[in-house]
Every structure is written in structure tokens, then in C-alpha cells.
Amino acid sequence: MENSGHIVKLYGAWGSPFVHRVIWALKLKGVEYEYIEEDLSNKSSSLLEYNPVHKEVPVLIHNGKPVVDSIVILEYIEETWPHLYPLLPADSYDRALARFWIDFGQQKRPTVHAFCGSSKENNEKTGEKMLETLNIIQDQALGDKKFFGGDSIGMVDLYFGWYVQWFPCFEQLAGLQVLNPSNLPKLHKWAMNFKEEPIIKETLYDSKKLLLHLEGIRKKRYMAAQARVL
Amino acid sequence: MAEVKLIGAWFSPFSRRVEMALKLKGVEYEYIEEDLSNKSPLLLKYNPIHKKVPVLLHNGKPIAESSIIIEYIDETWEGPSILPKDPYERAMARFWVKFIDEKCTVPMWKACSSPGEEGEKAKEEAAQLLKFVEEEIKDKKFFGGDNIGLVDISANFIGYWFGIIQELMGVELLTKEKYPNLCEWIDGYINHSFVKDNLPPKDKMTEVFKAFTQPGYSGYKPKV
């Protein structure tokens, strides 16, 4: 293992929303890290060594030890650098609620994937279920708060952060806009506020580039999900 | 009025995990058995999103999802630690809980309940995944080290429920020959004082599994 002088390394892949969550967390906390771009079509021996079980990004390496799974990594970052920009509430009940909403998002992945793999011919049903899910997130997780974390960004914001840039690309590809001011006024406002936060703003991708990238991924990953859900 | 209540189901490994955690911490609680085939207004009030057990009520405030409840219990009450103290060890524990719950459980279940090719494929998948778990428990008495911890509590499906369903359906997946370390862990686990009192009787569980696999069964069945 080379010694680059950095004690925090992040193995990621361009365009991955899972990697992006981790980047946001590290940047918000001001933690310096070395970023290593992984070619997922030709995985490096380092990645396979650090993440033999899932062979995926993101992988965070801290003092030579790997942490995998974006949500596990977020919790690790929070516990390792707790005083720098806390991402979870101080109160343990509120923390349980934050984890509940992240888990809710995880449980709704089939619905999300089915929508992301839709096309103009079949987006009505998947769009309905997507809207239903987003309504719950808006009304019960966000409510009247500026961010899921309250006045400032928290872990739940980082978890749902992919909705501000990746999701609109999938909406374009599916031919149906779901997250708009008329359907979801509060959630749409949240998305706008989130994108304007300096750390978030500086990390957003060129939309056209991301759209092209996701178009490729969509074929491979999300179109199969439809068959399972519809 | 009890400060801590648990809405659970006697046969549910998720419900039993929370009971193990509460008992490890010596927390007194009122247990409320839920009939999942006829969900109560109480459950629907306190877990309207998922309508599932277990649900913990602490001073009237509900928490759902067993892994979240267990972390809450660990943070709220004194007593033996369920999660490790060190952030890296905590990350490892959380990783293994997710791996077991999100990756292993479904193919293991399908290996026993799905007919024909689907069952065979699930069995192969489960066999590969369990190798990772076998490797992880290799040099340890428990996943938590000398004492049971988060992963041991959360791996109760592998530790107990799966053995019953495997035997009932005549499937040979988790065997001593292929997984000696994991089977040794199972032996230690089901005989551990905190664990064995929190396991539903084998004969009753067998009856429940038998019912699940009967054609025309219309009662509650876990969605897998």
C-alpha cells in the first residue's frame, strides 16, 4: 500500500450518487481526503482487496482500514469527526428518526428503480408510486423544515441529496416529471435550497454529462427492476 | 403506565432481537403481542408507515425497525454495550448486520421455500454469501468477540430460525461440513443465557413454518 501522506482515501466512481453522499459528508466536515477514481468496468485490485464482499464503491479508507456501504460510511464519518458539522441530531430519539427515514428510503428502492427504468409507454403507474413515496418523504420526514436536518443539512439530506440532480435526469429519461413545485412544493423547495448550499453547489455535475452517463446505467440496472415491481 | 412497551410477535426474529437487547440492558418493559393477521389500532397508530413489528414505545414515542430500535436501546440505557465503542468496530458491526439481513436472509429463505430452479439458484447464492459470514466468525467465539453483540443478536435468523426451516424442508445448506465455524457459533449462541430465553419453542416454530408452506394458507405470512 502506497503512502501518499493522506490518512483518508475515498474510492469512488464519477456519477455515483452513493459516492457523492460521502464526498458531501467529508467536505461539510472539512476532512481532507484523497479521491481515487475507480473504473467499475475494470475494477482495481485495491478495490477488490478493500471490498471483497460487494466489490463496489464507495469505499472509505481511514488509516489503512476500509469502511464500505455509503450509509455505514456516513455513520462512521459522523462518529469519527463528531464535532465538525454534526450530521445527526444530539437527541437519541431524533437520531432514531433520522435513521428511520434513511431506512425508509432504502426500503423504497424497488419503487425508485422501477420509475428510473420507465419510459413514456409505462411511466404512469411507476410515476404514481414514485409520487406516493415522495409525498410521504415530504410530509412526514421533511414537514415544514428547511432541511431534513432542521436549519442545517444533516445525514438525511445527504441520503436524499441524489434527488436534486440524479433524479431529474431519470425523470427526463422516463419522460415524466414527478418532483415539481405543483406536486411537491415543500420537497421541491428543499431541493432548491440544498443545491444552493455552497459545498453542495460546488460538487454538482454538468447536467448533460450526467444525463448521458445515467442513460447508460439505466439500461443495465433499472429497466429490469420494472418487471419485478409492475 | 409502563415507560417502555414493545409491540412484537412471538415468532418474529426481528421482535426477539429487540427483546434480547432490552434484557441485556436490564430494561423493564411491557410486552404487547400483535396478531399480524389482524393488525391492531395500536400498531397502525405507532407504525403507520410500515405497519410491522417490532415497535418500541419509550415514554409514548414510537421507534420502528429492529436495527434502529437496538441502536436506540444501546444509546439510551446503561449496561453491557451492544455495539462496540470504537467507530471502526461499530462500522464493521453495522456492515455485517446489513450483509446478513439484506443479502443473506432472502436467498436462504427462498432456498427452503421456492420450488424447483428458483430454489436451487437461491441455495447456490446463499451458499456463496454464507462463506463470507463463515470467514468472519472464524477465529471468534461470537461476532462481538467474547460476548454477544449487535451482530450476534441480529444474526438470530441464521442462529436459530433457519435451522428449523432447513430441517423441516429437508434442505442441506447450512451444514457442519461446509460451515464448521458458523455451526460452532450457532451451538454457542443458542445455549447462551440471554439468547436461549428469547427463542420461541422449536415445535411451535415448526408448526408456524409448516403453515406458511401450506397451499391455501391465508393467515399472516412474512413478505420475502
Side-chain angles (χ1 to χ4, degrees), chain B residues 32-80:
Chain B
I32 302 163
E33 177 70 26
E34 180 69 30
D35 175 3
L36 289 167
S37 61
N38 184 20
K39 290 175 183 177
S40 69
L42 195 74
L43 180 68
L44 300 177
K45 174 182 173 185
Y46 287 120
N47 192 2
I49 304 247
H50 299 304
K51 307 177 178 61
K52 287 186 196 169
V53 294
V55 179
L56 188 80
L57 291 168
H58 186 203
N59 296 325
K61 296 200 285 191
I63 303 166
E65 296 303 309
S66 63
S67 54
I68 296 172
I69 298 172
I70 294 171
E71 291 223 20
Y72 177 80
I73 290 169
D74 201 35
E75 288 174 13
T76 302
W77 284 283
E78 299 287 314

Side-chain angles (χ1 to χ4, degrees), chain A residues 84-95:
Chain A
L84 306 168
Y85 202 105
L87 292 170
L88 282 175
D91 175 72
S92 54
Y93 184 76
D94 293 335
R95 265 205 297 287

Side-chain angles (χ1 to χ4, degrees), chain B residues 3 31 35 41 53 86 96 99 113 121 132 138 147 152-153 168 170 174 178 182 191 197 214 221 224:
Chain B
E3 199 187 319
Y31 177 78
D35 175 3
V53 294
D86 171 69
W96 284 108
F99 179 74
S113 59
K121 262 183 124 173
F132 288 114
K138 203 169 60 173
N147 290 305
D152 303 273
I153 291 173
L168 174 68
L174 185 45
K178 292 188 205 139
L182 198 47
N191 286 303
D197 297 335
Q214 287 310 322
K221 196 172 167 177
V224 175

Side-chain angles (χ1 to χ4, degrees), chain A residues 51-56 62 65-69 71-72 75-76 79-80 91-93 95-97 99-101 103-104 106-107 109 136 140, chain B residues 47-50 52 58 61-65 67-68 71-72 75-76 83 85-92 94-96 98-99 102-103 132:
Chain A
N51 190 0
V53 175
H54 296 303
K55 307 177 179 56
E56 280 168 6
H62 186 205
K65 297 196 284 191
V67 185
V68 314
D69 187 297
I71 297 163
V72 174
E75 293 258 17
Y76 176 79
E79 287 176 353
T80 304
D91 175 72
S92 54
Y93 184 76
R95 265 205 297 287
L97 280 181
R99 289 177 177 136
F100 175 85
W101 288 111
D103 179 76
F104 175 81
Q106 290 290 91
Q107 291 198 35
R109 278 175 301 178
I136 296 173
Q140 300 192 44
Chain B
N47 192 2
I49 304 247
H50 299 304
K52 287 186 196 169
H58 186 203
K61 296 200 285 191
I63 303 166
E65 296 303 309
S67 54
I68 296 172
E71 291 223 20
Y72 177 80
E75 288 174 13
T76 302
L83 277 92
K85 295 283 185 214
D86 171 69
Y88 187 75
E89 298 303 316
R90 291 166 76 87
M92 291 299 101
R94 288 177 179 132
F95 169 82
W96 284 108
K98 285 182 122 209
F99 179 74
E102 291 176 15
K103 298 282 182 198
F132 288 114

